[in-house]
Amino acid sequence: MAKQRHWTFWFFSVLFTWVVLVLIYGSKNTQFMLELYDQAATTMWNGSSPDGVAAMAYPPLLVASYLPFIDLTEYVQRIAVLGAMACFLVFIFSTLQTMVVGKHSFKQNALFWILVGAIVGRYVVSPIENYSHDLLIGFFVVLAIRCWATQKEGAGGVAMGIAAACKATPLLFLPFLLLQRRWKSGAVMAVVTVAAFLVPDILFPRADSSWAGYWFSVVTNSLHVTDGKNAVPHWSTWNQLNQSLSGTIERLFSFPEHPDKDAVDVRITTLTSGTISIITLFARAMILGAVCIAFLQPSKAPVVFRRFCEGALLVSAMLLLSPMSSKAHFFLLLLPAVVMVRTYIWEKRDWVLTIIFISMFVYGTLTVKDLIGTDAGHAVLATGSVTWCTLLAMLGTWRVMRLSKNMPQESSSVSS
């Protein structure tokens, strides 16, 4: 058992991370998401109508999480949010280091994190530079997996339930908990999700309606669009920022009649909306089927590593199956990257993982707009570069789970 570090270590780790974030991002004019959160949280605090408030497309608990910041000035909001992000980052990376990576020399650890950064670094920094809520979701997801890895089934259910109440897509974990007959985690997660989802209506009630009811109506209307318009602008039927599976399929087989200035036509061919829907449903079924097969296969890997592999697989599927996944959401690709690179460096230099790493680096990391230009960057993004990299990460995680079946028990163990 690893020796517990003194609280001063964590304090100065968070403080150092906070200072670094402030120096890099504190003065940059990228606080657009903060303006959306502030408007939504102020609306909730005042109990006023949410109509026309864009960030009300987020679940009520996520909106309520920004309430402590609404009385701060814009600049102080940035500093405070970066402070919260510093806490999340220290927890997430320390958890992955101790529970997945384990104890190695400084040189080996440096090599490990450089390789991880090479394949998913752009996704890790995206929510930070955009002040996105995705680090909060990442914190609860990693916390849940950490609890499950240490046999704390109920605590893991609580953490994942809060994540699901904040984002909805982590609900994908629930059926797979039940598939594994982990009844306690599943029951706790379900109860906490419902309870946490209703908390804003209890603490900040609206006289004429409920925050939960409004959110459900927005999501329902956005998922049944027939005229090309959408209650949530970024959930429109054709949007290159939407890197979910459905968004990429839409772009590959259609192009809007009135595209925005950044739209790039990358159609393979033009199909009807009905045919596109069928292709999307089939692709989603394939993703779910692959996850089910991976979960049902026996594994000799220790429970700690197995839980992180399962979590990595599910977050990849979660990002692909969501109706809307923007680039900042893909911070969670850190999980599959960590389990893949760990296996590659210390277990087996597998040729499949080699191909996946090269593909993710070339198609993902090297296609950022700062390197190839804005126009080319938009074109590559329209092809679904992030979508395909996520699919590769999911397949890589599945490969790791298959490799772990043949690894001796002691080979797969990690320090915790």
Side-chain angles (χ1 to χ4, degrees):
M1 190 74 174
K3 182 180 178 181
Q4 294 295 320
R5 295 183 183 272
H6 195 268
W7 67 268
T8 54
F9 171 83
W10 300 113
F11 173 79
F12 284 108
S13 295
V14 170
L15 182 61
F16 174 77
T17 305
W18 190 2
V19 170
V20 170
L21 295 182
V22 171
L23 291 176
I24 296 175
Y25 300 105
S27 61
K28 291 186 177 181
N29 188 29
T30 57
Q31 77 288 355
F32 171 67
M33 293 303 297
L34 296 191
E35 296 172 1
L36 295 179
Y37 299 149
D38 183 82
Q39 182 186 24
T42 302
T43 298
M44 178 174 285
W45 179 256
N46 295 332
S48 50
S49 172
D51 293 335
V53 180
M56 282 299 179
Y58 295 118
L61 185 63
L62 185 61
V63 174
S65 70
Y66 201 78
L67 284 169
F69 304 101
I70 60 176
D71 288 329
L72 305 177
T73 65
E74 177 189 300
Y75 185 71
V76 176
Q77 280 188 18
R78 294 191 201 183
I79 303 302
V81 169
L82 289 173
M85 287 183 172
C87 295
F88 300 149
L89 287 169
V90 168
F91 172 81
I92 291 169
F93 279 93
S94 64
T95 293
L96 295 177
Q97 177 65 48
T98 57
M99 302 196 74
V100 182
V101 181
K103 290 184 177 180
H104 301 281
S105 68
F106 175 81
K107 183 178 180 180
Q108 287 180 314
N109 279 325
L111 174 64
F112 173 88
W113 288 111
I114 288 172
L115 186 52
V116 169
I119 60 177
V120 297
R122 65 173 296 192
Y123 312 116
V124 173
V125 301
S126 182
I128 305 172
E129 62 188 8
N130 290 291
Y131 292 87
S132 173
H133 62 270
D134 295 283
L135 284 182
L136 173 65
I137 307 303
F139 165 76
F140 281 113
V141 169
V142 172
L143 175 60
I145 297 171
R146 180 188 179 112
C147 290
W148 290 331
T150 54
Q151 311 296 313
K152 298 175 182 177
E153 292 290 311
V158 171
M160 195 60 74
I162 295 174
C166 286
K167 187 66 176 176
T169 48
L171 280 171
L172 184 63
F173 279 80
L174 182 57
F176 288 97
L177 290 174
L178 302 180
L179 181 66
Q180 293 181 317
R181 299 183 180 181
R182 293 161 61 190
W183 309 118
K184 182 177 180 179
S185 281
V188 171
M189 179 183 170
V191 171
V192 170
T193 299
V194 174
F197 196 84
L198 296 176
V199 163
D201 277 309
I202 297 173
L203 298 180
F204 313 103
R206 289 178 60 202
D208 55 341
S209 184
S210 68
W211 304 114
Y214 177 81
W215 181 79
F216 276 115
S217 68
V218 168
V219 172
T220 301
N221 291 338
S222 295
L223 294 179
H224 296 85
V225 177
T226 58
D227 59 357
K229 296 182 180 179
N230 201 294
V232 184
H234 292 310
W235 287 17
S236 58
T237 53
W238 200 104
N239 184 352
Q240 64 198 32
L241 295 178
N242 184 358
Q243 292 291 308
S244 69
L245 191 65
S246 60
T248 292
I249 291 173
E250 184 79 27
R251 290 189 301 276
L252 292 178
F253 298 108
S254 71
F255 193 70
E257 292 184 10
H258 305 288
D260 61 38
K261 62 182 180 63
D262 294 327
V264 180
D265 189 352
V266 294
R267 281 175 294 179
I268 299 172
T269 186
T270 302
L271 300 177
T272 64
S273 59
T275 303
I276 292 174
S277 296
I278 293 172
I279 294 173
T280 301
L281 287 174
F282 178 76
R284 285 173 169 168
M286 293 289 288
I287 296 295
L288 287 173
V291 176
C292 287
I293 293 171
F295 266 68
L296 291 174
Q297 288 178 334
S299 175
K300 294 180 181 179
V303 66
V304 173
F305 188 61
R306 187 165 70 247
R307 291 291 179 251
F308 277 92
C309 285
E310 292 168 351
L313 197 70
L314 283 173
V315 297
S316 300
M318 185 177 84
L319 292 165
L320 291 169
L321 297 175
S322 171
M324 169 59 192
S325 291
S326 66
K327 286 187 295 181
H329 299 169
F330 290 84
F331 171 85
L332 285 170
L333 285 184
L334 179 64
L335 286 175
V338 165
V339 299
M340 287 190 296
V341 174
R342 177 201 177 276
T343 299
Y344 188 80
I345 292 180
W346 290 299
E347 304 294 352
K348 181 178 176 60
R349 300 293 173 88
D350 181 62
W351 67 270
V352 175
L353 294 180
T354 301
I355 294 174
I356 288 174
F357 292 160
I358 294 173
S359 300
M360 291 181 69
F361 178 70
V362 173
Y363 195 21
T365 304
L366 294 184
T367 59
V368 295
K369 287 181 284 187
D370 289 340
L371 291 178
I372 65 174
T374 300
D375 293 340
H378 286 156
V380 173
L381 194 63
T383 66
S385 57
V386 183
T387 306
W388 300 120
C389 286
T390 303
L391 183 59
L392 287 171
M394 179 180 167
L395 295 176
T397 303
W398 191 3
R399 177 67 173 177
V400 167
M401 294 174 75
R402 288 183 61 84
L403 290 174
S404 68
K405 292 170 55 180
N406 303 317
M407 293 177 188
Q409 185 81 7
E410 63 271 13
S411 173
S412 296
S413 62
V414 295
S415 302
S416 58

